[in-house]
Amino acid sequence: MYKKIRVLVGKPGLDGHDRGAKVVAAALRDAGMEVVYTGLHQTCESIVEAAVQEDVDIIGLSILSGAHMTIFSRILKLLKAKKAIDILVIGGGIIPDDDMKRLQRMGVRKLFGPGTPTSEIVDWIKANAGKSKKRPAKKTRRTRRAPKKSTK
Amino acid sequence: MKREEWDKKLGTCKERNFEFTTVSGLPTKVVYTPDDITGFEHDRDLGYPGEFPYVRGVYTNMYRGRLWTMRQFSGFGTPRDTNKRYKYLLKHGQTGLSVAFDFPTLYGRDSDDSFSRGEVGKCGVAVDSLRDMEILFSGIPLDRISTSMTINPPAAMLLAMYIAVGEKQGVPPRVLTGTIQNDMLKEYQAQKTWIYPPKPSMRIITDILKYCSEKVPRWNTISISGYHIREAGSTALQELAFTLKNGFTYVEHGMAAGLPVDKFAPRLSFFFNAHLDFFEEIAKYRAARRIWAHMMREKFNAQDPRSFLMRFHTQTAGCTLTAQQPENNIMRTAYQALSAVLGGTQSLHTNSMDETYALPTEKAVKIALRTQQLLAYETGVAHTIDPLGGSYYVEALTNELEKGANEYFEKIDRLGGVIPAIEKGFFQKEISRSAYKYQKALEKHDKYHVGVNIFEEEEKPGIEILKIPPEVERYQIRQLRKLRKERNNRRVKEALGLLRKAARDGGNLMPRILDCVREYTTLGEMCSTLKEEFDVYHEPIIF
């Protein structure tokens, strides 16, 4: 049965630059995917929680604050703890080349730099989503509500 | 030749297959003539520089008297790292300072807050308390330099720290010059660094207006900013309209709080983006000056001509920089800087070529500063005022932007004003839609970006990148913990108690914040106290 690709677009940490995340979220939606956009200022915990609950195929994180090394490694660790490593982690933002290589070695599947056409992101997701899914597919939820904000 | 004949001739010319619109999508004619500015009256519509309606510039002799302030937005790592960078920039001819704080500071959180993990010193300098501010400005005489601070929800605290550093240097507050951004409305709309909901945020802002009009009279109390609205994806017209409407909203709130308009309006300043479309940007600055002057005089009944002046800082557009072929950013920035100067800016930041990767290296920032110096000292563009005034195109575009802005003002009024429009997500939707539309235009090649969708190359850029090591965070946390042990914690507690009381009772927060600061209360402690009283903001999620 045809199932829509489900993507969580997340803005972790304090970074308020949401232009890229919103443009990508809109492009993925227009490409026929189910998009959950978290909104700003999410903790890594709330992003992983939402990703598992929403049964997404992909987590896409946008980070322009320079905190990418800390945040991606935390997300990967939390996914592992939740036994949800079949959710692919991708991202974009202001990330120097060296850091991109380190992050990819760590397990981030794909990073898209500034200037990437949204069509390239759509194509990559279509080619890769769902391939490593091991968990039984849950019933697709219709909700697009963002996870509850956790602000200290 | 008659126009009809020329039009006929034009009709026989082959045109490139391209949509000729400004970067914001306004149609551009092949040529502009007196027909495009019918009814134009020099004295009424332009006036002389330094005279109503200030289209040509806010000062009588503009750059002949004094060049614009060259002010590079700068900050990274520890206060000591940034202090070193400031001294480097001043040594190379920079004429004003502009502080970039890291994300924890921007959100009023301490370096050891769990939310600060990985962010300390990363995209700006970490400031937790007065002690950090003392290091940041050590060896920099505050009576001889003006400082701009990009700080919003905790603006009052950072201003208080600056005042306290001045006190320690023997510089009284009435002498201090500089700017705090302190523009919360555009935070909810675009930049998204907020703590409290709009109502208490506006109260803090009016407290600052009141306090500064008495005690720090040369300080620019709000830098009403279009920059971030544009960076978030708006068009030039939206930037112009939303920024000015925010400005009017601050004036209304100041007046509603009992301040006479001429007491605070002369200290309001503006901050615009210098984007890709050269003439559109120049027209935007010119239109902004005319709209502001008219509204201040006619709607708010200001009497002091200083209240009519729309003085502004400009930064070249970060969102137009490309990671591809990064050296091209030098040229891109130069054209943008030229538009700001031709548009009559009072101060300017030029972006560095490497900023799509990281904060700039010394070499990159020096080239950016030299770009301004070259404009000022080599090109002759600062010799005469508003050299494009009277251009059929620039005047027509100035009029068109003014008209478009007025339409937006009416639309926002119909929504109940700026704050209700924020709560309805109006600005957020407008900006997101423009951003998405522009991205689609790039992908369809209706708009070009060199190195991104035209003249692309395979090469990987090999430019040098500034790295902020993780030790910065550890060092900053160590220093903070040391400070908490060394200071008089009883007095910190008392000062925080009085701050809380003022928050509840409605007294001006500024003197209480200053007392907290003097006791080395941390930024996070002050902001948490106010958070408990004022609550936190949650935005409507829209994409």
Side-chain angles (χ1 to χ4, degrees):
Chain A
M1 198 181 85
Y2 175 74
K3 180 177 170 289
K4 277 188 172 180
I5 298 173
R6 294 173 67 80
V7 184
L8 179 140
V9 175
K11 282 295 300 178
L14 295 172
D15 180 19
H17 298 95
D18 60 358
R19 176 178 181 165
K22 286 176 159 190
V23 164
V24 169
L28 301 182
R29 178 193 61 204
D30 288 357
M33 301 178 198
E34 287 276 345
V35 180
V36 181
Y37 172 53
T38 64
L40 290 164
H41 311 148
Q42 300 301 311
T43 60
C44 296
E45 287 78 2
S46 69
I47 286 174
V48 168
E49 188 68 46
V52 172
Q53 251 179 40
E54 294 280 344
D55 190 29
V56 299
D57 304 286
I58 304 259
I59 295 175
L61 300 179
S62 162
I63 307 172
L64 291 86
S65 69
H68 45 266
M69 298 307 294
T70 313
I71 288 171
F72 276 113
S73 60
R74 177 119 190 99
I75 293 274
L76 291 169
K77 211 169 135 191
L78 289 165
L79 281 173
K80 211 168 171 182
K82 288 250 174 202
K83 302 199 184 344
I85 43 169
D86 51 338
I87 300 177
L88 305 184
V89 178
I90 65 173
I94 303 293
I95 304 173
D97 291 344
D98 289 352
D99 289 353
M100 278 202 184
K101 283 180 203 136
R102 284 170 59 202
L103 288 169
Q104 281 169 340
R105 277 199 299 273
M106 220 182 257
V108 176
R109 287 293 299 274
K110 182 80 184 165
L111 290 163
F112 298 95
T116 306
T118 53
S119 54
E120 195 180 314
I121 303 172
V122 168
D123 292 346
W124 190 93
I125 292 178
K126 283 185 175 165
N128 292 278
K131 287 203 173 151
S132 61
K133 278 261 176 193
K134 289 188 192 87
R135 290 173 297 148
K138 284 183 198 164
K139 221 175 125 193
T140 306
R141 282 189 195 86
R142 285 280 149 241
T143 169
R144 279 190 191 207
R145 275 204 37 219
K148 204 172 163 284
K149 277 230 150 116
S150 79
T151 312
K152 248 192 88 180
Chain B
M1 189 181 268
K2 285 270 191 302
R3 181 65 197 246
E4 300 77 43
E5 283 174 62
W6 184 82
D7 281 340
K8 209 176 270 172
K9 200 168 167 189
L10 178 70
T12 66
C13 299
K14 201 171 163 336
E15 200 168 83
R16 280 185 287 131
N17 182 21
F18 187 69
E19 199 179 281
F20 294 92
T21 59
T22 67
V23 79
S24 300
L26 301 177
T28 314
K29 293 183 187 178
V30 62
V31 71
Y32 286 78
T33 68
D35 292 343
D36 294 294
I37 50 166
T38 47
F40 173 82
E41 274 180 42
H42 173 273
D43 290 0
R44 183 198 63 196
D45 299 333
L46 291 190
Y48 289 95
E51 300 300 324
F52 203 86
Y54 306 95
V55 176
R56 310 208 66 181
V58 289
Y59 300 123
T60 310
N61 68 348
M62 287 296 289
Y63 303 138
R64 282 218 186 187
R66 199 174 149 271
L67 286 164
W68 65 90
T69 305
M70 299 181 192
R71 198 191 287 286
Q72 298 295 92
F73 182 47
S74 174
F76 64 92
T78 65
R80 205 171 299 283
D81 296 329
T82 300
N83 177 262
K84 202 173 138 232
R85 174 64 66 90
Y86 289 167
K87 288 176 177 161
Y88 174 86
L89 286 165
L90 292 169
K91 187 180 120 202
H92 287 284
Q94 171 165 285
T95 50
L97 293 174
S98 174
V99 188
F101 296 104
D102 68 357
F103 265 116
T105 309
L106 292 173
Y107 283 95
R109 290 173 187 262
D110 287 338
S111 294
D112 60 351
D113 185 302
S114 66
F115 241 104
S116 306
R117 215 178 292 155
E119 311 262 16
V120 178
K122 281 283 162 58
C123 60
V125 60
V127 172
D128 290 311
S129 75
L130 175 59
R131 184 160 296 169
D132 290 330
M133 207 69 162
E134 289 163 5
I135 301 167
L136 189 60
F137 290 99
S138 78
I140 298 171
L142 300 194
D143 53 343
R144 295 218 298 273
I145 192 111
S146 69
T147 302
S148 172
M149 292 188 274
T150 295
I151 191 77
N152 292 283
M157 288 83 180
L158 273 299
L159 172 59
M161 288 184 198
Y162 194 82
I163 293 171
V165 173
E167 284 169 354
K168 291 191 182 236
Q169 287 189 2
V171 180
R174 67 184 151 75
V175 175
L176 296 174
T177 56
T179 306
I180 39 174
Q181 199 161 74
N182 196 27
D183 171 9
M184 280 311 298
L185 295 173
K186 67 91 177 57
E187 293 298 333
Y188 301 118
Q189 295 161 350
Q191 183 164 252
K192 316 286 172 87
T193 51
W194 54 65
I195 302 178
Y196 324 108
K199 213 177 144 200
S201 293
M202 293 304 280
R203 180 241 167 130
I204 298 171
I205 292 168
T206 47
D207 279 0
I208 294 171
L209 293 179
K210 277 188 198 163
Y211 184 84
C212 288
S213 68
E214 296 295 329
K215 311 272 187 195
V216 206
R218 298 175 67 199
W219 197 266
N220 294 317
T221 46
I222 314 177
S223 171
I224 305 155
S225 306
Y227 186 81
H228 321 86
I229 294 172
R230 193 68 181 282
E231 288 289 297
S234 86
T235 64
L237 174 60
Q238 289 167 331
E239 178 194 357
L240 172 71
F242 298 169
T243 309
L244 287 172
K245 191 68 183 164
N246 289 346
F248 305 143
T249 306
Y250 292 120
V251 172
E252 285 159 7
H253 275 78
M255 291 170 80
L259 280 170
V261 64
D262 288 324
K263 189 114 196 220
F264 67 96
R267 294 322 310 174
L268 300 177
S269 65
F270 288 80
F271 172 21
F272 287 109
N273 194 296
H275 208 275
L276 292 170
D277 197 299
F278 190 72
F279 293 111
E280 186 172 53
E281 294 304 282
I282 294 167
K284 178 185 77 185
Y285 310 126
R286 300 173 86 249
R289 278 193 291 268
R290 187 158 62 203
I291 297 169
W292 184 253
H294 275 291
M295 289 291 262
M296 291 310 291
R297 192 177 72 175
E298 285 133 35
K299 184 169 178 203
F300 297 109
N301 296 316
Q303 307 290 320
D304 184 344
R306 291 180 308 145
S307 299
F308 307 154
L309 303 184
M310 198 225 50
R311 299 171 296 125
F312 71 108
H313 171 69
T314 309
Q315 180 170 341
T316 58
C319 64
T320 68
L321 299 181
T322 60
Q324 297 76 6
Q325 306 171 39
E327 289 90 345
N328 293 350
N329 292 327
I330 300 173
M331 281 78 82
R332 212 169 258 129
T333 296
Y335 296 132
Q336 295 172 357
L338 178 58
S339 76
V341 170
L342 296 181
T345 195
Q346 274 58 63
S347 66
L348 179 60
H349 165 103
T350 31
N351 289 326
S352 301
M353 63 167 159
D354 52 356
E355 292 190 64
T356 54
Y357 290 99
L359 296 183
T361 61
E362 274 192 356
K363 184 183 169 187
V365 74
K366 189 161 77 179
I367 293 172
L369 174 62
R370 294 282 184 254
T371 304
Q372 296 196 36
Q373 291 165 334
L374 210 138
L375 276 174
Y377 294 98
E378 289 185 2
T379 63
V381 294
H383 293 355
T384 190
I385 302 169
D386 187 33
L388 291 167
S391 145
Y392 302 126
Y393 177 40
V394 171
E395 295 302 349
L397 197 51
T398 304
N399 294 343
E400 191 178 348
L401 287 171
E402 182 177 4
K403 190 168 159 267
N406 282 320
E407 286 163 12
Y408 263 121
F409 299 157
E410 283 169 23
K411 201 183 253 180
I412 297 161
D413 285 338
R414 282 198 299 273
L415 292 169
V418 168
I419 293 173
I422 287 169
E423 287 161 356
K424 293 183 176 99
F426 168 75
F427 301 101
Q428 299 91 316
K429 259 181 249 165
E430 286 270 325
I431 295 167
S432 299
R433 277 175 198 163
S434 295
Y436 191 38
K437 198 173 153 202
Y438 185 65
Q439 179 62 28
K440 285 201 282 197
L442 283 176
E443 294 186 19
K444 284 193 291 182
H445 292 85
D446 287 341
K447 292 277 175 242
Y448 288 118
H449 217 154
V450 171
V452 174
N453 67 351
I454 188 169
F455 309 119
E456 302 103 307
E457 288 177 41
E458 277 302 317
E459 46 81 63
K460 265 282 169 198
I463 58 166
E464 188 198 344
I465 301 291
L466 181 85
K467 289 243 156 93
I468 313 292
E471 291 77 63
V472 164
E473 188 161 315
R474 291 198 283 270
Y475 175 83
Q476 196 62 23
I477 290 173
R478 266 204 315 276
Q479 294 303 104
L480 177 61
R481 294 197 172 142
K482 202 165 140 239
L483 172 98
R484 288 209 190 100
K485 274 190 201 128
E486 287 170 3
R487 63 184 187 183
N488 185 331
N489 280 304
R490 190 183 51 81
R491 287 167 68 166
V492 168
K493 216 175 147 192
E494 277 170 19
L496 280 171
L498 291 170
L499 175 63
R500 186 187 299 279
K501 190 169 175 297
R504 276 186 200 161
D505 302 349
N508 195 312
L509 296 171
M510 266 311 285
R512 301 289 79 79
I513 290 171
L514 198 51
D515 289 342
C516 287
V517 161
R518 289 189 186 113
E519 297 300 338
Y520 295 88
T521 309
T522 67
L523 185 59
E525 291 162 344
M526 289 183 272
C527 291
S528 303
T529 301
L530 292 185
K531 236 184 266 183
E532 286 160 21
E533 297 302 317
F534 293 155
D535 202 5
V536 291
Y537 177 68
H538 298 288
E539 84 157 341
I541 291 175
I542 295 153
F543 68 90

